[in-house]
Amino acid sequence: MLCVGGLVRSRVLYFSGQGLLRLTEPVVASTTDTRTRSVSGVGGTNWAGGWYGSLSDSAPVHLCENFLVGFQQASGLPWWLSIVMATASVRTTITLPLAAYQILIISKVELLQAEISELAKRLAYEVSVRSRERGWTDKQERVQFKRNLRRIVSQLYIRDNCHPFKASLLVWVQLPLWVSFSLALRNLSLNQSALQGELAAGGALWFHDLTVPDSTWILPVLLGITNLLIIEMFSLQRVGVSGFRRLVLNGIRGFMVLMIPIAATVPSSMALYWFSSSLVGFSHNLLLRSQTVHRILRLPTQQSQSPYRDLMSAFTAKYFKK
């Protein structure tokens, strides 16, 4: 993370006795006074109260505040562009490698399915023979089959180092990161924040004030469209989706639509971050479909020779049928 101290404005971060994260400017050659101000006024006052206030005042959120302030000071960019660039840099350096690792694990798991199916057939025969020898009931036979199949599958995952849980590593990193940056931007946009004035004047286009919600709803709608496109991209990769998975997919679609009015009630800085994060994620998903990336990752599964054309064809066939 970038440290605020020693950057363009020579400010130094420290924690006071009450736990308030403060920013102090040293004496400038032309002045004799020292000015101290708070980066965010959440600490100590616990303005929201309860678990939300504790989460807003947590160490990860303050670290994200420091990173955002440091990035803006180091780059000298206006706040709106600084938020976009900071989001792109974090997602590219942290979540993109994890997304590539996720694809690698999923590819290995998919490659194992044929071997698992063959071993399951052999196991079913062996269990049925043992069942007749020992006089097992149908229930006992099913229990033995499932127990041994789980053991075999676990051994295969260990052999190929591709346990499916590793594919969820991206979620366990990306979600806390998303929450921490969202709360950090909310803290910086509050009236108690010393940087509130800078964010109020740091917008662009139709969202001039980053501390108030986007009254035009343009950012929230763009966020919803981008998220839905990401979901549809994943759904088009799945063939023969089960009823339960279809139910889950529709639930996620509903949540993404619900995010539109939610984004219209938060400061524009948060809505801009959410949209930027989703847009970067969408571009990463497209990038990870390329043949070049698949060759670099040495994926064991077969890759289409024209992944983008196939994606567009699937999208057109699903939503623009004659």
Side-chain angles (χ1 to χ4, degrees):
M1 291 290 182
L2 292 175
C3 179
V4 176
L7 295 177
V8 176
R9 302 180 189 177
S10 300
R11 299 176 182 176
V12 182
L13 280 173
Y14 73 95
F15 286 92
S16 69
Q18 290 82 13
L20 292 174
L21 183 60
R22 296 186 179 275
L23 206 68
T24 303
E25 293 184 356
V27 177
V28 182
S30 59
T31 63
T32 57
D33 66 316
T34 300
R35 184 161 60 94
T36 303
R37 68 180 189 168
S38 171
V39 173
S40 64
V42 179
T45 59
N46 201 5
W47 63 274
W51 65 269
Y52 185 82
S54 300
L55 184 60
S56 298
D57 197 27
S58 62
V61 173
H62 285 313
L63 286 173
C64 290
E65 289 178 14
N66 300 344
F67 173 76
L68 287 167
V69 174
F71 190 96
Q72 194 274 333
Q73 291 177 345
S75 63
L77 298 171
W79 264 105
W80 73 271
L81 186 56
S82 179
I83 292 173
V84 173
M85 296 304 296
T87 302
S89 63
V90 169
R91 291 218 53 168
T92 301
T93 57
I94 297 177
T95 61
L96 179 58
L98 291 176
Y101 181 69
Q102 181 186 61
I103 291 179
L104 180 62
I105 295 298
I106 293 175
S107 298
K108 288 183 177 181
V109 171
E110 289 178 350
L111 195 65
L112 280 176
Q113 296 311 304
E115 185 175 356
I116 291 174
S117 178
E118 185 64 30
L119 291 174
K121 293 178 182 178
R122 190 183 308 172
L123 177 64
Y125 173 75
E126 293 177 355
V127 170
S128 65
V129 172
R130 187 64 60 87
S131 176
R132 288 193 296 269
E133 292 177 352
R134 301 191 176 184
W136 289 341
T137 63
D138 291 344
K139 183 178 179 180
Q140 290 175 320
E141 184 176 340
R142 287 195 299 272
V143 169
Q144 289 294 328
F145 173 77
K146 292 180 179 179
R147 182 183 301 168
N148 283 277
L149 183 60
R150 282 196 299 268
R151 176 181 55 81
I152 292 173
V153 171
S154 179
Q155 290 174 347
L156 291 176
Y157 288 155
I158 294 173
R159 185 195 70 185
D160 291 358
N161 191 24
C162 62
H163 195 284
F165 180 78
K166 293 182 178 181
S168 67
L169 183 61
L170 175 63
V171 176
W172 294 111
V173 173
Q174 184 171 316
L175 184 59
L177 200 64
W178 185 85
V179 172
S180 296
F181 269 94
S182 298
L183 293 178
L185 285 167
R186 183 175 180 84
N187 290 348
L188 294 174
S189 301
L190 293 175
N191 291 331
Q192 296 97 324
S193 170
L195 296 177
Q196 192 265 349
E198 293 185 17
L199 269 79
L205 301 175
W206 67 91
F207 52 96
H208 300 288
D209 189 344
L210 293 176
T211 65
V212 298
D214 180 8
S215 58
T216 66
W217 282 54
I218 295 178
L219 281 176
V221 171
L222 290 175
L223 168 68
I225 292 174
T226 305
N227 285 337
L228 288 174
L229 284 174
I230 293 174
I231 295 171
E232 297 312 310
M233 185 188 302
F234 278 109
S235 68
L236 292 174
Q237 292 178 273
R238 304 296 177 184
V239 180
V241 179
S242 64
F244 176 75
R245 288 187 176 181
R246 189 177 296 109
L247 182 64
V248 172
L249 197 60
N250 289 333
I252 297 175
R253 289 190 181 106
F255 177 75
M256 293 308 171
V257 173
L258 182 62
M259 282 293 294
I260 296 177
I262 294 176
T265 62
V266 301
S268 295
S269 58
M270 289 179 64
L272 178 62
Y273 164 67
W274 292 352
F275 171 58
S276 301
S277 180
S278 295
L279 192 62
V280 172
F282 179 72
S283 64
H284 287 172
N285 287 328
L286 289 176
L287 175 65
L288 292 173
R289 293 177 67 91
S290 71
Q291 290 180 288
T292 302
V293 171
H294 280 241
R295 283 196 297 268
I296 293 174
L297 295 178
R298 297 179 181 179
L299 297 181
T301 52
Q302 291 293 328
Q303 168 68 1
S304 170
Q305 298 299 316
S306 55
Y308 302 115
R309 189 181 300 113
D310 293 345
L311 180 64
M312 183 58 67
S313 298
F315 184 85
T316 303
K318 182 176 181 179
Y319 295 103
F320 298 97
K321 293 180 180 179
K322 294 182 179 180

